[in-house]
Amino acid sequence: MRLRWGGGGLGFLVILLGASPAWTTNFCMNNIHPLDQQFDPRSLIRIASDDDVEVVRAGLVHEIWRGTGFPTDFPDTVTENAPSALGIDTDSLPNLLRVDRLEAHLGSGFHSVVDYFLPIDGNGRLIVLHQGHFSDFAAGRVDETLTVLLEEGFAVLGLAMPGYPPNSGPTAGHNELVNFATGRFNPMRLFLDPVALSLNHALKAHQYTDVSMTGLSGGGWTTTLYAAIDTRVSVSVPVAGSLPIYLRYGPCGFSSDWEQTEESIYVDQASYLDLYLMGSAGSGRKRVQILNQFDGCCFWGLGYQTYQPAMIEAMQRLSHGTYEVYLNTTAAGEHSISKNAQVSLLRALGRPVFVVDSVYEDSVTHGPGWGMSPSSAYDRHQRQAVYENRESLFVYHLRDLPPGIYRVATTWLEGENRAQNAAFSMWDAETPRLEVRLDQREAPDDFSFQSARWKELGEVEVRSGLLHVELNGMANGMVVAGTIFAERIGNIPFVGEPDPDGDGISSDGSGSGVAGDALCDGREPGQCDDNCPEVFNPLQTDRDFDGIGDACDNCTGNSNPDQSDVDTDGLGDVCDNCVEISNPWQIDADLDDFGNVCDADYDQDGIVGASDFVVLRAAFANARTSESFIEPIVDHDGDGVIGVSDFARFRALFGREPGPSAFTDIHRLQLWAFPDLDGDGVPLDGDRSGIVGDLTCDESNLEGCDDNCPKIYNPDQFDADGDGVGDLCDSCIERENASQVDSDADGYGNACDADFNNDWFVGAEDFSTFRSAFILGANSELVEPIVDMNADGAIGAVDFSLFISGMRNGIPGPSGLDCAGSIPCN
């Protein structure tokens, strides 16, 4: 298991960035502060692989539940068909069968109450809806969100924060919760236990196909943390709930409660970026982080853009999962799940809907004469064309639509003075699709969505990803520009064989009508095109992400979308050790990255000359007298015999440099003189001293030095602790241990392994072992080697310091070895 840890505590971040009130909220909402841009978010990411996700998750569980494990029990009482404890008028809720009340005693005097909303016509799906730091669901449009979810057929678990109604406890002040901490009770579980217990009950009582979670503000924070831990939550959509701590404490930052900045969680266990990754990682799992650019409370602005690239890179290292950020630019001044955010939530949950209101200035354009009215059927907004400007256009722009067939609709407020021939036209980018006229004197009445009534304009084909809907003011009455709705209802008809290889993945799985324009990559098959349409490959694996599946890629380890293969030997040029001469077996007897078929430079002086001919002649003579031994480097055709064909090949190569090979370019040293066993471009003996490892590379020096992990591909040569051993093969990434002593062979070097009993936790039993060894001191013959943490043969002050550090970490490591945690780790 490989684990990377970011360094630095909260205090360091405060000193580095400073929280200055001099920068106005307006500036921070519209700009990224230069100091925030200087911070490198990659330093906060511990997770570098699927294994790391499990390791960090286990650490979180251990810290929060203090050894008792993730909750498997149930609420203490369940009351069916109860009034809403959250104070919701259930008579006004659509599609509601009943409300069950779930109650639990959480310890330390805290009590939780959860409303379990069961729909009449259910879709078989369950979602957790957390209201956060509000006293009731009416605030922040959480009640509207509940209505939308019930309309869609979801069963809903409604929750509030600890101490907030209907919950109770000794305090509602979250900064005071730290006072309830003991060695066996972490107050952080007060936020998570109600979710876990309620889910345990709901999943036992009913069969659901999947579980999702969303919440606002503190509810968004709860969603962020809980979904990182509980993999039963497949889709998590936190709204205005968190930002990494360097942005909270930065010059555009804001105050936060204890639970959102506690160092024992976000520094010692998992940064917010790790939590985002953990909530995203896994087959079929997705996290969509919704942030309000102009939020009236917190988490505003564009700061997410500083960490988004690092998150994209980190997600590419994981096998499965999706992470997205949606920036809501509407509902200025609100701290809410706006109508626009509700649509994004539904889209994350799988309903492909897109909505543009006439007030969204970044998504509409219009000519003069369109006045604003204070109310509408959708979200308190509408535009009206005055009679003097009937030729003025109002155009909606729906961007980033997945290709497909869309049902398009609109809503408006009817009236006697409205036009009876309001003219709508729809365009797929520059391609006209449909025109229709509507009578706006009558109310729209085709269907309901988000508590509004809608009128269908028709079905249109969108290939470009951009749908324009134009409304012309030229009509016989007042024209109303309300809101436009678009929902993807099908694929564009594809001309050709849909699945020629029969692997279940369509050549046009995206439904765009064009095969190969949205290729799968093996992480989330979903709506994507077969990346090997003629070769059976249901997993769609594409390790180098070049758009060509491994099953038909002529070079699976290096991106080569053009699949160039000059010598037609089935190996792409970018991974062929003899680019111009066919050699499908890639025999390379001297391990210099030049295949035998194009390498007659036996003495590795860079040129095929007379001295090489002497070697060939001797090998040829020896082969004729003794077939039991041949020189492998002289066997150019790889047939096990030195013969005429090898002489012919030598003659063709005479006077030339070896190659050409894909593994040599201007950035690499002469590998024929100094081999590179792992093919990462860093030679074994890059300083040409004749001694491997006497001058190792690091991330700041990659030339004229030796590979610090000679058997593991690591072109970046990262060496966090500067001990000359690269991170990817270092048994202690953050502790200098050049000797790599690992007495218990568990993959964690003695210097960072205070877990002497190998139970994956540094605790009382380990302390007892160390104390006994420390008393013996220098009597090394009586001391277990695993306790000698600095490997000097005695137990002294340095070992004591290392052990205390290990206790703070709580677990061994971090280690760069893939096998860390298993014994023996070879």
Side-chain angles (χ1 to χ4, degrees):
M1 300 178 184
R2 184 155 57 247
L3 185 61
R4 297 183 182 276
W5 294 75
L10 302 187
F12 168 75
L13 291 173
V14 174
I15 294 171
L16 174 66
L17 297 177
S20 171
W23 293 92
T24 66
T25 301
N26 183 62
F27 173 89
C28 291
M29 286 181 173
N30 291 281
N31 302 273
I32 303 176
H33 194 282
L35 288 178
D36 290 335
Q37 291 177 320
Q38 293 174 17
F39 187 78
D40 182 10
R42 292 169 181 80
S43 66
L44 300 176
I45 298 178
R46 296 171 163 96
I47 293 173
S49 69
D50 295 332
D51 286 341
D52 293 349
V53 173
E54 300 305 321
V55 171
V56 176
R57 183 175 288 133
L60 272 174
V61 170
H62 185 85
E63 170 61 25
I64 294 173
W65 284 279
R66 299 283 165 92
T68 63
F70 186 79
T72 58
D73 44 352
F74 300 90
D76 295 307
T77 60
V78 176
T79 306
E80 294 186 355
N81 203 19
S84 169
L86 295 165
I88 298 173
D89 178 12
T90 54
D91 292 337
S92 64
L93 291 177
N95 194 31
L96 178 66
L97 175 64
R98 71 172 195 264
V99 179
D100 291 350
R101 181 178 298 176
L102 315 180
E103 301 182 64
H105 300 289
L106 305 179
S108 296
F110 288 91
H111 183 77
S112 81
V113 183
V114 175
D115 275 354
Y116 182 19
F117 300 90
L118 293 162
I120 297 172
D121 184 14
N123 61 12
R125 305 176 67 185
L126 174 66
I127 187 168
V128 179
L129 175 61
H130 203 300
Q131 73 178 27
H133 291 98
F134 293 107
S135 58
D136 58 66
F137 261 44
R141 304 197 187 207
V142 182
D143 56 346
E144 291 182 20
T145 307
L146 173 63
T147 298
V148 169
L149 293 170
L150 285 171
E151 283 180 337
E152 294 289 321
F154 283 88
V156 182
L157 289 168
L159 293 92
M161 280 292 202
Y164 282 66
N167 301 323
S168 60
T171 180
H174 290 172
N175 291 331
E176 300 171 14
L177 292 180
V178 68
N179 298 324
F180 292 86
T182 68
R184 300 183 61 84
F185 181 79
N186 187 335
M188 193 70 72
R189 64 182 297 174
L190 295 172
F191 299 90
L192 306 182
D193 280 359
V195 185
L197 300 180
S198 301
L199 278 180
N200 293 345
H201 166 77
L203 293 175
K204 181 180 180 181
H206 300 93
Q207 295 293 321
Y208 293 111
T209 58
D210 62 85
V211 176
S212 301
M213 185 170 180
T214 188
L216 172 65
S217 191
W221 167 83
T222 308
T223 300
T224 298
L225 179 58
Y226 187 85
I229 295 172
D230 190 350
T231 57
R232 294 179 297 180
V233 178
S234 57
V235 178
S236 55
V237 187
V239 182
S242 73
L243 282 173
I245 289 178
Y246 74 92
L247 292 173
R248 294 168 184 253
Y249 281 94
C252 287
F254 38 85
S255 61
S256 297
D257 286 339
W258 162 78
E259 71 271 10
Q260 297 191 9
T261 56
E262 171 59 27
E263 289 197 32
S264 66
I265 298 294
Y266 308 107
V267 174
D268 296 345
Q269 299 297 332
S271 70
Y272 273 98
L273 299 188
D274 291 317
L275 295 179
Y276 300 161
L277 289 171
M278 294 162 67
S280 309
S283 180
R285 301 194 79 214
K286 175 192 295 186
R287 165 157 291 171
V288 178
Q289 183 183 12
I290 297 180
L291 297 169
N292 300 323
Q293 182 176 357
F294 307 107
D295 199 291
C297 161
C298 39
F299 308 113
W300 51 64
L302 304 173
Y304 75 94
Q305 295 176 4
T306 63
Y307 64 79
Q308 193 173 30
M311 286 295 299
I312 292 173
E313 292 176 11
M315 283 301 301
Q316 289 177 345
R317 293 192 291 266
L318 304 180
S319 300
H320 300 282
T322 302
Y323 170 79
E324 299 174 3
V325 176
Y326 173 74
L327 183 67
N328 177 33
T329 60
T330 66
E334 289 189 20
H335 186 52
S336 70
I337 309 177
S338 69
K339 286 282 189 180
N340 209 24
Q342 291 167 22
V343 170
S344 298
L345 168 62
L346 291 180
R347 200 154 58 237
L349 294 172
R351 185 172 181 186
V353 290
F354 301 81
V355 172
V356 173
D357 197 356
S358 60
V359 76
Y360 297 170
E361 295 292 353
D362 59 343
S363 299
V364 299
T365 54
H366 57 81
W370 294 88
M372 176 68 75
S373 176
S375 63
S376 92
Y378 179 68
D379 194 22
R380 303 193 299 276
H381 303 116
Q382 69 178 15
R383 303 261 185 182
Q384 297 177 344
V386 299
Y387 294 109
E388 290 79 9
N389 291 278
R390 294 183 181 181
E391 297 182 8
S392 180
L393 286 177
F394 196 101
V395 186
Y396 303 83
H397 310 285
L398 285 81
R399 302 182 175 91
D400 301 322
L401 302 185
I405 305 297
Y406 283 81
R407 174 176 64 147
V408 184
T410 186
T411 187
W412 65 86
L413 280 180
E414 70 279 5
E416 293 182 358
N417 66 338
R418 304 297 198 259
Q420 67 184 80
N421 59 347
F424 290 83
S425 60
M426 281 151 280
W427 299 68
D428 178 8
E430 303 301 321
T431 304
R433 292 298 187 197
L434 185 66
E435 294 184 3
V436 65
R437 289 184 178 269
L438 299 180
D439 186 348
Q440 292 192 325
R441 297 174 303 175
E442 304 293 333
D445 60 357
D446 282 342
F447 65 92
S448 176
F449 176 73
Q450 286 191 310
S451 301
R453 300 295 301 174
W454 301 79
K455 181 68 176 179
E456 291 188 10
L457 298 175
E459 297 179 4
V460 296
E461 180 180 288
V462 179
R463 292 177 179 268
S464 67
L466 176 60
L467 173 65
H468 299 296
V469 180
E470 293 182 357
L471 176 57
N472 196 323
M474 186 175 290
N476 60 4
M478 181 173 288
V479 176
V480 181
T483 304
I484 295 296
F485 165 99
E487 180 173 19
R488 190 180 189 278
I489 58 174
N491 293 341
I492 297 171
F494 174 64
V495 178
E497 175 63 37
D499 185 17
D501 56 8
D503 58 8
I505 310 296
S506 173
S507 300
D508 182 38
S510 67
S512 68
V514 178
D517 63 344
L519 293 165
C520 303
D521 62 13
R523 290 179 292 181
E524 297 296 332
Q527 293 183 339
C528 54
D529 302 348
D530 195 330
N531 60 26
C532 285
E534 303 295 332
V535 179
F536 184 87
N537 66 330
L539 297 180
Q540 295 288 294
T541 307
D542 180 15
R543 284 180 290 172
D544 54 14
F545 301 108
D546 61 359
I548 311 296
D550 291 349
C552 58
D553 194 343
N554 63 19
C555 188
T556 59
N558 300 82
S559 177
N560 63 332
D562 61 4
Q563 296 288 284
S564 175
D565 180 14
V566 170
D567 56 14
T568 65
D569 59 2
L571 288 164
D573 296 339
V574 299
C575 60
D576 193 337
N577 63 19
C578 284
V579 174
E580 297 176 352
I581 304 173
S582 178
N583 65 332
W585 301 111
Q586 297 285 286
I587 296 173
D588 177 17
D590 56 3
L591 300 177
D592 62 356
D593 282 343
F594 295 98
N596 279 23
V597 72
C598 61
D599 181 11
D601 180 23
Y602 311 133
D603 59 4
Q604 296 187 337
D605 64 356
I607 194 74
V608 180
S611 59
D612 301 303
F613 179 71
V614 172
V615 175
L616 172 69
R617 186 173 57 186
F620 184 75
N622 184 63
R624 300 184 66 179
T625 59
S626 175
E627 294 184 1
S628 61
F629 175 79
I630 64 168
E631 187 69 44
I633 60 174
V634 183
D635 184 12
H636 293 293
D637 56 11
D639 64 356
V641 178
I642 308 302
V644 174
S645 62
D646 301 300
F647 255 104
R649 174 54 52 200
F650 181 88
R651 183 169 58 186
L653 298 173
F654 190 80
R656 291 174 42 183
E657 296 180 355
S661 167
F663 305 114
T664 56
D665 56 40
I666 59 174
H667 302 294
R668 298 184 59 167
L669 300 174
Q670 295 179 338
L671 300 185
W672 52 84
F674 305 101
D676 175 21
L677 294 181
D678 55 9
D680 61 3
V682 185
L684 285 172
D685 187 25
D687 65 343
R688 307 188 184 191
S689 67
I691 301 174
V692 174
D694 62 336
L695 180 62
T696 54
C697 302
D698 58 34
E699 58 269 30
S700 62
N701 180 30
L702 298 176
E703 295 186 0
C705 52
D706 304 348
D707 194 334
N708 63 24
C709 277
K711 295 183 180 180
I712 297 179
Y713 183 89
N714 66 329
D716 296 324
Q717 297 286 293
F718 288 123
D719 182 12
D721 55 11
D723 62 0
V725 182
D727 291 351
L728 296 188
C729 57
D730 194 342
S731 61
C732 287
I733 294 176
E734 294 185 345
R735 292 286 181 188
E736 183 177 348
N737 66 328
S739 66
Q740 294 288 289
V741 173
D742 178 14
S743 298
D744 57 1
D746 65 352
Y748 298 101
N750 283 22
C752 62
D753 186 6
D755 177 25
F756 305 134
N757 62 356
N758 289 312
D759 65 352
W760 189 243
F761 175 67
V762 181
E765 184 176 342
D766 303 300
F767 177 75
S768 176
T769 301
F770 182 83
R771 183 174 57 183
S772 299
F774 188 79
I775 294 173
L776 294 173
N779 296 321
S780 57
E781 67 276 9
L782 302 177
V783 173
E784 292 185 26
I786 58 172
V787 186
D788 186 10
M789 300 187 69
N790 67 345
D792 66 350
I795 310 300
V798 175
D799 302 287
F800 181 82
S801 176
L802 291 172
F803 178 79
I804 294 300
S805 177
M807 285 200 72
R808 289 198 187 102
N809 284 342
I811 58 176
S815 170
L817 302 181
D818 286 328
C819 59
S822 59
I823 300 176
C825 175
N826 297 318

